[in-house]
Amino acid sequence: MNTYKRHRFPPEIISYAVWLYYRFNLSHRDIEDLLAERGITVSHESIRLWCIKFGAIYTRRLKRKHRGYGDTFYIDEVSIKINGKQHYLWRAVDQDGEVVDVYLQAKRDGAAAKRFFKRLLRSHGGEPRKIVTDKLRSHGVAQRELIPETIHSTRQYENNRAEQSHEVTRVRERGMRRFKSTSQAQRCLGAHAAISKLFNLGRHLVRAEHYRNLRESAFADWSRAVA
């Protein structure tokens, strides 16, 4: 099946626009101007529809080809207001900072924690060796019922890795002038986590030559996902 069938623009332009949107903090109108500078005339509404459709497709393909996560999960939740109502964005990252999953829910009680933990187990394909959370009781409830053999740590400051991972969400939220609906937020943040992280290679942590090799590998993975 041709993913790009009946689209007027070639796959190279569509995938480039989607990459710009999820890789950088740009609006659809910003991308419209960037493409216009290259002589490509496309409306911001078309770019928005591309990001909705192809962002989900690319994300699924990247997850299928993912090499796997670490054995330690750092789990945290942050509050987000959508249409004046409080929601909670649950997030789990591994010890390398890779986002395992993000899930938007209306509550942060025990039932919500168990729903999120079940998603994590499906994503990971098994139980992690250790989880690190804050002192929210809901995490303990889910851990005892679903993964009782997993080590559960709630030491102060140990969960900073997950809390810092929320910063990109705040940046994206400000750039979009708040999320308009729960479905939009879940769709956008899920794709952003998969695509943006692919190219967030920790430039300050490695030598320049090694960084260039990692970047080439990331672009190779991206090329396979958009093919």
Side-chain angles (χ1 to χ4, degrees):
M1 179 180 177
N2 185 1
T3 307
Y4 303 94
K5 187 177 182 180
R6 296 182 180 177
H7 284 271
R8 182 162 62 93
F9 288 88
E12 292 78 11
I13 293 176
I14 295 175
S15 61
Y16 182 63
V18 175
W19 179 75
L20 285 174
Y21 182 72
Y22 288 113
R23 175 66 181 90
F24 306 101
N25 189 28
L26 298 172
S27 69
H28 300 122
R29 294 180 187 273
D30 292 334
I31 298 171
E32 178 184 2
D33 291 341
L34 288 171
L35 293 177
E37 191 273 333
R38 296 191 172 200
I40 303 168
T41 303
V42 57
S43 70
H44 67 274
E45 180 62 16
S46 293
I47 296 171
R48 185 183 72 85
L49 295 175
W50 290 349
C51 292
I52 292 174
K53 176 181 178 179
F54 292 101
I57 293 173
Y58 299 159
T59 299
R60 287 196 299 270
R61 291 177 178 176
L62 288 172
K63 287 184 176 180
R64 281 202 301 266
K65 299 295 183 181
H66 195 272
R67 298 176 180 85
Y69 301 101
D71 63 356
T72 302
F73 290 173
Y74 298 77
I75 302 171
D76 191 46
E77 69 290 326
V78 66
S79 63
I80 293 179
K81 274 199 173 182
I82 300 176
N83 291 330
K85 294 183 179 179
Q86 191 93 324
H87 291 76
Y88 296 94
L89 181 69
W90 295 69
R91 181 189 301 268
V93 301
D94 67 6
Q95 65 264 37
D96 298 318
E98 282 211 61
V99 178
V100 183
D101 198 8
V102 291
Y103 189 39
L104 192 65
Q105 302 191 81
K107 297 181 180 181
R108 58 173 183 171
D109 56 11
K114 284 188 282 186
R115 279 193 295 270
F116 183 59
F117 275 49
K118 288 176 182 178
R119 283 174 60 97
L120 284 181
L121 296 177
R122 287 197 300 269
S123 300
H124 187 250
E127 297 183 10
R129 180 186 63 84
K130 178 182 178 181
I131 62 170
V132 180
T133 70
D134 56 20
K135 297 185 184 297
L136 183 69
R137 289 184 175 182
S138 304
H139 297 137
V141 172
Q143 183 267 335
R144 287 190 298 271
E145 292 191 19
L146 299 176
I147 47 176
E149 302 299 323
T150 298
I151 302 169
H152 184 195
S153 175
T154 58
R155 286 193 303 175
Q156 191 176 19
Y157 306 126
E158 192 176 0
N159 203 31
N160 284 354
R161 186 184 299 274
E163 293 173 359
Q164 291 170 358
S165 183
H166 285 305
E167 292 178 4
V168 294
T169 298
R170 295 303 191 192
V171 172
R172 172 60 66 174
E173 184 183 22
R174 287 194 296 270
M176 298 176 68
R177 298 181 182 179
R178 293 188 177 273
F179 298 112
K180 309 302 187 294
S181 67
T182 55
S183 58
Q184 180 214 26
Q186 180 68 53
R187 181 177 62 242
C188 176
L189 295 174
H192 183 267
I195 297 172
S196 176
K197 190 59 187 178
L198 179 65
F199 296 93
N200 188 8
L201 303 172
R203 173 65 185 88
H204 61 293
L205 299 175
V206 297
R207 296 173 64 87
E209 182 179 359
H210 184 42
Y211 172 75
R212 286 192 288 269
N213 291 334
L214 291 174
R215 187 171 58 188
E216 288 179 6
S217 177
F219 277 119
D221 290 342
W222 176 250
S223 296
R224 286 190 290 269
V226 304

